[in-house]
Amino acid sequence: MVISAEPIIYGLIFIAVLVLVEGIYLTVFGKSISLNSRVNRRLELLDKGGNREQVLEQLRKEMTQHMKSRSIPLYSILANKAQKANIAFTPKQLIMIMGVLSFVAFIGLSVGTETDVSVRLVVSILMGVGGVYLWVNNKAKTRTGLIEEQLPDAVELMVRSLRVGHPFSSAIGIVAKEVPDPLGSEMGVIADEAAYGRDMGESLKAMAERMDMQDLRFLAVAVTIQQTAGGNLAEILDGLAKVIRARFKLFRRVKAITAEAKWSGMFLSMFPLVALVAINVIEPNYYDDVKETAVFIPACLVVAAFLVVNIFVMRSLVDIKV
């Protein structure tokens, strides 16, 4: 029995691509860009000597640059997720990183495997582009999840600030100082924009649309209505915090209920591919007797189609709208 190491090498090179893009990101922008940092990035930039206007300009550029670049061919697929993830790389830098990672993957495949040059070239491009896409997608999911988790506490902090007599702009400023990233820097930008004359409700609405989050839209609407019609903003936000927290608990409950079905769907979708790789590793010549038959390629296409249909069906079964 001859065991082929090539599938394992492919997997290791792809993991190396993911690790490399994260390493480049942290090296270029420093540890403050990480969502695990205790001090949010805005405060760190101010602490390094940047004045308030420069920091605001830099953060606003990072927050909007990807949506402005959706006209770049194929980049529109990545733009929405890069926007939600607030990737500090510019679109051109991201495209350059895809090229660099593809080149690194090609070198790794050339050293570790003996496949044809054309196959290595296609696979290396897929690894470079796919690695960056998976990395950005993971960043977007992590960031939006953290904002959803931080928002009820941030709104309650605003309520306490309002009840002791602070104006709403000061309450936003307190949240920007006390709350870590990602919400801390977002609120800091809103506080800075308000200091330079932008309407607070408008800034909150822009943030909600950029992040595409319903809870943030509720906050923006509540602040806008209070500004135009008046009322006790502390009581309004207190009720909103309870609603957001209840929604968050409901989402978590639904997630827990559907977790088993999601993992079952993932297993059913991935097992045939894992089995295929395992068979090729353990017995590389397993399919040699049927490769040249007329029905081999059509059968492979049918199996692939069923796998794709299975993924969509399983996802629709566990995609519960709340």
Side-chain angles (χ1 to χ4, degrees), residues 40 42-43 46 52 55-56 59-60 63 169 171-177 179 181-196 200 207:
N40 65 58
R42 172 177 167 271
L43 294 179
L46 290 171
R52 193 175 185 182
V55 172
L56 174 62
L59 292 177
R60 287 186 67 182
M63 290 174 178
S169 56
I172 291 288
I174 291 170
V175 171
K177 291 178 181 178
V179 176
D181 272 340
L183 192 58
S185 290
E186 291 281 354
M187 289 297 179
V189 168
I190 291 173
D192 289 342
E193 288 178 340
Y196 287 107
M200 191 77 72
M207 175 186 170

Side-chain angles (χ1 to χ4, degrees), residues 81-317:
K81 294 186 180 297
Q83 188 69 36
K84 291 181 180 180
N86 198 33
I87 300 298
F89 284 132
T90 65
K92 290 182 180 178
Q93 287 172 336
L94 267 182
I95 294 172
M96 287 175 59
I97 288 171
M98 288 179 187
V100 170
L101 294 178
S102 298
F103 177 74
V104 171
F106 182 78
I107 297 297
L109 291 173
S110 299
V111 172
T113 66
E114 298 179 354
T115 52
D116 294 336
V117 176
S118 58
V119 175
R120 294 201 302 268
L121 185 62
V122 172
V123 172
S124 61
I125 291 173
L126 290 175
M127 283 186 176
V129 176
V132 172
Y133 180 85
L134 286 178
W135 176 74
V136 171
N137 184 53
N138 181 62
K139 287 281 185 184
K141 285 183 177 180
T142 303
R143 190 168 188 270
T144 52
L146 283 173
I147 289 178
E148 288 174 348
E149 190 172 345
Q150 290 175 321
L151 190 57
D153 293 331
V155 175
E156 288 177 352
L157 182 56
M158 294 178 203
V159 171
R160 290 195 292 270
S161 300
L162 292 170
R163 283 176 173 166
V164 298
H166 292 298
F168 185 62
S169 56
S170 297
I172 291 288
I174 291 170
V175 171
K177 291 178 181 178
E178 298 296 331
V179 176
D181 272 340
L183 192 58
S185 290
E186 291 281 354
M187 289 297 179
V189 168
I190 291 173
D192 289 342
E193 288 178 340
Y196 287 107
R198 190 177 186 186
D199 180 70
M200 191 77 72
E202 203 175 294
S203 297
L204 286 168
K205 183 179 179 181
M207 175 186 170
E209 294 303 322
R210 188 176 69 250
M211 295 301 302
D212 191 24
M213 289 178 58
Q214 194 63 37
D215 291 337
L216 285 173
R217 291 191 181 97
F218 292 156
L219 177 61
V221 170
V223 172
T224 303
I225 291 175
Q226 192 276 336
Q227 286 177 337
T228 55
N232 189 335
L233 184 58
E235 293 300 322
I236 295 171
L237 294 183
D238 185 44
L240 178 61
K242 292 176 182 176
V243 170
I244 294 173
R245 196 176 293 281
R247 277 168 51 84
F248 184 71
K249 288 173 65 177
L250 181 59
F251 288 143
R252 283 290 180 90
R253 187 175 179 184
V254 170
K255 187 176 181 180
I257 292 171
T258 59
E260 183 180 354
K262 285 182 178 179
W263 280 102
S264 297
M266 190 180 300
F267 175 79
L268 291 173
S269 301
M270 296 301 298
F271 178 76
L273 299 177
V274 174
L276 179 63
V277 172
I279 289 171
N280 279 278
V281 169
I282 296 170
E283 187 60 54
N285 302 320
Y286 186 79
Y287 293 104
D288 286 355
D289 293 338
V290 294
K291 268 184 184 177
E292 305 302 326
T293 60
V295 297
F296 182 73
I297 298 299
C300 290
L301 294 175
V302 170
V303 170
F306 274 117
L307 283 175
V308 173
V309 171
N310 171 72
I311 291 172
F312 285 104
V313 171
M314 294 303 295
R315 178 169 292 185
S316 65
L317 290 175

Side-chain angles (χ1 to χ4, degrees), residues 12-58:
L12 291 175
I13 291 174
F14 186 67
I15 292 171
V17 166
L18 294 175
V19 173
L20 186 59
V21 67
E22 179 70 14
I24 293 172
Y25 195 57
L26 294 177
T27 302
V28 173
F29 296 103
K31 198 173 181 180
S32 66
I33 200 73
S34 173
L35 297 177
N36 296 324
S37 179
R38 292 184 179 180
V39 180
N40 65 58
R41 186 156 182 258
R42 172 177 167 271
L43 294 179
E44 179 124 349
L45 291 173
L46 290 171
D47 189 56
K48 287 180 178 178
N51 63 54
R52 193 175 185 182
E53 187 176 355
Q54 289 174 335
V55 172
L56 174 62
E57 186 65 29
Q58 180 179 344

